[in-house]
């Protein structure tokens, strides 16, 4: 990843943080974007002078445009966009509020749309670029209590496959990662008993780590995956 510039959204915690650290270790210059300023800046400081910490909400187009402008001002190019930022606001269909539905769609779906559209002119000018977005096994198979989340993650797959066709001729690839149960703050909210049950359903008999997913992002961000386009890579220990 030497000489590559990568944006990682939602880099403050969990999978995004692990991905930013791994990409930086592999030689990339990483722009670490998060809704919270402190974790983004702390992570950038931890990585060192090649990194940049940015506070942005991916659901806000003006903030996303400012992020891309800041990255271009600092590095002059963008090679990879990792659309990792995502949230859950779970409720059964009967109880889900419109506000819960809208916020998850705004972050997980519109956030990916905003960030990808914002980097597109740079990718087109370069004649190369890689879009890697966070879907989920829930987007492939559904999950109890996650109408909004499942819809958003299935939509990420739809957009990824569309961009693969639309942008492939311009040298731009689009792929998605579909993690299973990964131990982060997002899944720590799930009762321990349910998490144990989830681990039992994984053929590898364990939950994933943020680093497991970061390795998939690294592959899809690197030149090693140049002929892979429109793919959804499950990182779920064989669960799905
Ligand atoms: P996490 O631990 O909750 O971390 C998510 C990060 O994204 C946080 O740093 C959060 O910032 C940031 N974020 C949230 N909303 C944002 C916004 N509007 N703009 C910018 N940043 C925002 O989540 P995770 O488990 O690492 O998940 C990362 C991605 O993988 C998500 O897209 C998730 O849906 C997906 N995924 C996770 C799992 C899993 O089992 N963990 C499984 C499948 C897919 P704050 O600190 O401000 O909240």
């Amino acid at each position: 990843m030497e000489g590559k510039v990568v944006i990682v959204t939602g880099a403050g915690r969990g999978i995004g943080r692990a991905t930013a650290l791994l990409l930086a270790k592999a030689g990339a210059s990483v722009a670490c974007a998060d809704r919270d300023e402190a974790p983004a800046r702390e992570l950038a400081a931890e990585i060192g002078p090649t990194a940049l910490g940015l506070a942005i909400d991916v659901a806000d187009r003006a903030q996303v445009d400012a992020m891309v402008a800041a990255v271009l001002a600092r590095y002059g190019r963008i090679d990879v966009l990792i659309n990792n930022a995502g949230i859950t606001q779970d409720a059964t269909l009967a109880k889900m509020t419109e506000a819960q539905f809208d916020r998850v769609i705004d972050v997980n779906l519109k956030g990916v749309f905003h960030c990808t559209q914002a980097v597109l002119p740079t990718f087109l000018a370069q004649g190369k670029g890689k879009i890697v977005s966070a879907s989920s096994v829930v987007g492939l198979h559904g999950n109890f209590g996650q109408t909004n989340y499942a819809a958003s993650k299935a939509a990420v797959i739809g957009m990824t496959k569309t961009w693969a066709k639309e942008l492939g001729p311009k040298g731009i690839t689009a792929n998605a990662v579909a993690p299973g149960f990964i131990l982060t703050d997002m899944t720590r909210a799930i009762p321990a008993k349910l998490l144990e049950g989830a681990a039992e359903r994984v053929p590898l008999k364990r939950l994933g780590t943020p680093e497991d997913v970061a390795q998939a992002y690294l592959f899809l961000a690197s030149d090693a995956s140049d002929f892979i386009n429109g793919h959804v890579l499950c990182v779920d220990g064989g669960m799905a």
Side-chain angles (χ1 to χ4, degrees):
M1 296 300 295
E2 289 291 340
K4 305 274 189 202
V5 177
V6 184
I7 296 176
V8 181
T9 68
R13 288 189 280 132
I15 294 167
R17 180 182 155 80
T19 301
L21 286 168
L22 187 67
L23 288 164
K25 204 172 150 198
S29 297
V30 184
C32 309
D34 202 86
R35 192 175 44 177
D36 283 350
E37 184 163 5
R41 294 210 190 285
E42 279 162 25
L43 176 59
E46 187 180 331
I47 291 172
T50 58
L52 178 64
L54 295 162
I56 59 124
D57 180 345
V58 294
D60 183 324
R61 183 53 186 260
Q63 291 185 37
V64 168
D65 286 342
M67 168 185 78
V68 171
V71 173
L72 285 174
R74 168 74 187 270
Y75 302 107
R77 59 182 295 113
I78 302 167
D79 298 285
V80 183
L81 168 66
I82 298 196
N83 282 312
N84 164 76
I87 58 167
T88 52
Q89 288 198 10
D90 296 352
T92 58
L93 176 60
K95 292 187 181 151
M96 187 168 286
T97 64
E98 191 175 349
Q100 286 175 317
F101 188 84
D102 285 349
R103 182 60 187 162
V104 168
I105 295 295
D106 280 351
V107 175
N108 297 7
L109 198 174
K110 257 183 125 179
V112 173
F113 166 73
H114 285 320
C115 293
T116 307
Q117 203 175 45
V119 299
L120 185 59
T122 305
F123 283 3
L124 288 172
Q126 291 169 180
K128 189 163 183 194
K130 285 173 179 264
I131 304 155
V132 193
S133 305
S135 181
S136 165
V137 289
V138 171
L140 289 163
H141 298 281
N143 199 25
F144 186 96
Q146 292 199 308
T147 291
N148 49 2
Y149 186 77
S152 71
K153 295 300 184 181
V156 166
I157 294 173
M159 292 196 296
T160 296
K161 288 179 182 287
T162 297
W163 297 335
K165 291 191 165 76
E166 200 175 304
L167 305 177
K170 318 272 184 202
I172 300 163
T173 61
N175 293 292
V177 166
F181 275 102
I182 310 299
L183 257 188
T184 66
D185 291 344
M186 186 176 272
T187 41
R188 276 189 197 99
I190 299 170
K193 219 173 165 175
L194 284 181
L195 275 185
E196 277 169 33
E200 263 314 299
R201 290 203 307 279
V202 178
L204 293 179
K205 300 296 173 200
R206 68 168 176 90
L207 299 177
T209 64
E211 290 71 26
D212 288 324
V213 186
Q215 292 288 354
Y217 277 122
L218 172 60
F219 172 60
L220 291 173
S222 76
D223 292 345
S225 62
D226 268 0
F227 201 57
I228 296 175
N229 191 22
H231 186 71
V232 182
L233 180 54
C234 287
V235 186
D236 65 351
M239 185 177 75

